[in-house]
């Protein structure tokens, strides 16, 4: 079994623009910007790459300590999962992708991936989950509910 | 064209039986609406939204007069088959109960969506004030049910039927976007940015400013219809505007007499309907020549500075998608395509030049 992550569709949308990727979570209202190594990792998740192969892609692209890069990648994937942007999947081992033996040596220094999060839109969303409904089967409006407290 | 679902995986796994259940619920609510209209003096209006004819069937004239204020500039007389028919009613005045919904409490999403109701039949419920929206894409019909029509908040009066129009326009390849728009029939600009950036002030200043250049007209200050294909275009949907009263008193005093909610709590913006005071200052649509992010900035310096499409998308997409049920990946894709297709600028406000003069100069250079 191979560990992998996939985008938490349909509640997450993403768009690549001007060298960065914007990710939006519709239910929480949070949105994120990804660049550099974070962008590479995200693109690998979108492509359905296994976790080991995501690490391999980072090794091929950036220059740095392999162990540190692996730890950073795994931690970042967990961050993405914690934000409900990706979900873990366990699946059959995909065909191994072999890097070309004459692949260029990476020269870009590795910078740990950052998840830049913005929460200013969350004020628009009502955070309270719905528990009670009236006799018609609909939730009591928040304004009415608050007034009754 | 069916609206692109923000929940594609749920659409593909839903059974035909669930689809029939959704269609049955829509029909039950639509029939209840029809009964409510038959019991009272129904009021039928037509509006043109973009190139689409929308028929609005109100259960009574009180509802019609209340909700049409923001839409009245689009009203037309029509004998044509409408592209969308909307039934608008409530149970309080009609005495007709709303059929019990088949979904569960845990299916409500904060934004208003209802999980699983995003394929042939869309459903959303405004948890704040109790408004149910339903849209059957196969019939071209929608229903709006209001729990308490006598207590509509200002944002519903300012932008009525927003959810239903958003769904419908998506089937037509357009989006209802959180932005302002000003210009003239030959071209204009979209004003994007989260609340407090100065979109409304900039847009409404084009209505009321006392200046020689009156060539810039008003298409909206909060929600406008946007198309990317075949070319970027904006259409007016609401002629409403919201402005801080103190700010209006200092900068735009001619708009004060139009404000409708003088009894509203302190801190709530004044709501006005441009059509009621300045109908000649409204433009119904134009090609988008640029997207501007207004920013309050004192001191000298260039009024317009180019900015990246990414910066504009960050101002446009989250604020639209956090407020509009049904927006999803296709919305984000469309907005990204839009900001890539036209020039983007930051518009400095407060450096001595009027916004409309700066916008007019920009359009003259295009």
């Amino acid at each position: 079994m191979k560990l992998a992550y996939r985008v938490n569709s349909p509640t997450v949308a993403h768009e690549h623009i001007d060298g960065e990727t914007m990710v939006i979570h519709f239910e929480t209202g949070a949105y994120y910007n990804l660049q550099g190594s974070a962008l590479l990792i995200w693109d690998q998740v979108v492509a359905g790459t296994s976790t080991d192969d995501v690490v391999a892609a980072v090794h091929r692209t950036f220059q740095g300590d392999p162990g540190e890069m692996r730890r950073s990648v795994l931690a970042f994937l967990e961050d993405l999962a914690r934000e409900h942007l990706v979900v873990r999947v366990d699946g059959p081992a995909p065909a191994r992708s072999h890097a070309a033996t004459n692949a260029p040596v990476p020269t870009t220094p590795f910078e740990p991936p950052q998840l830049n999060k913005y929460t200013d839109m969350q004020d628009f969303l009502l955070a309270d989950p719905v528990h009670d409904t009236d006799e018609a089967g609909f939730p009591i409006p928040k304004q009415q509910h608050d007034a009754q407290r | 064209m069916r609206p692109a679902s923000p929940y594609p995986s749920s659409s593909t796994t839903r059974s035909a039986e669930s689809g029939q259940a959704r269609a049955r619920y829509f029909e039950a609510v639509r029939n209840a609406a029809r009964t409510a209209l038959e019991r009272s003096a129904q009021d039928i209006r037509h509006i043109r939204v973009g190139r689409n004819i929308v028929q609005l069937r109100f259960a009574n004239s009180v509802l019609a007069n209340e909700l049409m204020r923001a839409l009245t500039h689009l009203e037309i007389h029509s004998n044509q088959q409408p592209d969308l028919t909307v039934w608008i009613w409530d149970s309080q005045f009609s005495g007709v109960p709303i059929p019990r919904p088949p979904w569960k409490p845990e299916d409500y999403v904060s934004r208003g969506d209802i999980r699983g109701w995003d394929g042939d039949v869309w459903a959303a419920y405004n948890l704040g004030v109790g408004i149910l929206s339903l849209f059957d894409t196969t019939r071209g019909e929608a229903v709006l049910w209001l729990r308490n029509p006598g207590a509509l908040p200002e944002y519903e009066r300012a932008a009525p039927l927003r959810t239903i129009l958003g769904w419908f326009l998506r089937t037509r390849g357009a989006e209802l976007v959180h932005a302002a728009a000003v210009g003239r029939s030959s071209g204009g600009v979209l004003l994007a940015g989260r609340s407090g950036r100065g979109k409304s002030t900039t847009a409404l200043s084009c209505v009321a400013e006392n200046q020689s250049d009156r060539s810039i007209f008003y298409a909206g200050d909060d929600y406008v219809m946007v198309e990317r294909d075949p070319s970027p275009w904006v259409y007016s949907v609401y002629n409403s505007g919201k402005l801080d009263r103190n700010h209006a008193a200092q900068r735009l005093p001619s708009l004060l007499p139009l404000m409708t909610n003088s009894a509203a709590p302190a801190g709530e913006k004044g709501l006005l309907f441009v059509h009621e005071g300045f109908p000649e200052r409204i433009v119904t649509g134009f090609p988008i020549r640029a997207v501007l992010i207004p920013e309050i900035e004192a001191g000298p310096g260039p009024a317009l500075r180019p900015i990246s499409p990414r910066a504009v998308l960050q101002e446009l997409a989250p604020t639209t998608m956090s407020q509009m049920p049904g927006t999803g990946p296709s919305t984000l894709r469309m907005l990204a395509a839009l900001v890539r297709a036209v020039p983007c600028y930051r518009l400095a406000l407060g450096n001595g030049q009027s916004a409309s003069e700066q916008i007019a100069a920009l359009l003259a250079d295009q």
Side-chain angles (χ1 to χ4, degrees), chain A residues 2-6 41 44-45 48-58 70 73-75 77-78 88-90 94:
Chain A
K2 272 279 194 179
L3 177 62
Y5 291 83
R6 63 167 175 77
I41 294 166
Q44 293 293 312
V45 170
T49 311
S50 72
T51 301
D52 284 345
D53 287 344
V54 173
V55 173
V58 171
R70 181 179 181 82
V73 169
L74 297 181
L77 289 169
E78 284 299 310
R88 279 177 59 147
V89 292
D90 292 312

Side-chain angles (χ1 to χ4, degrees), chain B residues 275-290:
Chain B
H275 191 261
E276 293 177 1
F278 301 92
E280 75 284 359
R281 301 301 302 155
I282 295 174
V283 61
T284 54
F286 47 76
I288 300 171
R289 301 295 185 208

Side-chain angles (χ1 to χ4, degrees), chain B residues 14-25 116-117 120-121 136:
Chain B
R14 255 199 319 276
S15 65
E17 200 175 280
S18 301
Q20 287 168 7
R22 283 188 294 279
R24 277 197 300 273
Y25 184 67
W117 287 72
D120 288 338
V121 179
D136 188 325

Side-chain angles (χ1 to χ4, degrees), chain B residues 124-146:
Chain B
Y125 189 74
N126 182 319
L127 292 164
V129 293
I131 296 177
L132 174 68
S133 301
L134 291 170
F135 175 39
D136 188 325
T137 64
T138 63
R139 300 171 198 243
E141 284 190 283
V143 183
L144 185 84
W145 174 79
L146 299 104

Side-chain angles (χ1 to χ4, degrees), chain B residues 1-8 11 14 22-23 25-26 103 111-114 116-125 132-138 141-143 163-164 166-168 170-171 324-331:
Chain B
M1 180 175 79
R2 192 180 300 179
S5 168
Y7 302 102
S11 298
R14 255 199 319 276
R22 283 188 294 279
Y25 184 67
F26 179 86
W103 51 77
R111 191 176 64 172
D113 312 74
I114 294 167
W117 287 72
D118 52 18
D120 288 338
V121 179
W122 292 68
Y125 189 74
L132 174 68
S133 301
L134 291 170
F135 175 39
D136 188 325
T137 64
T138 63
E141 284 190 283
V143 183
T163 298
I164 287 173
W167 289 331
F168 168 69
R170 200 163 303 118
T171 69
M324 291 292 298
T327 50
S330 64
T331 307

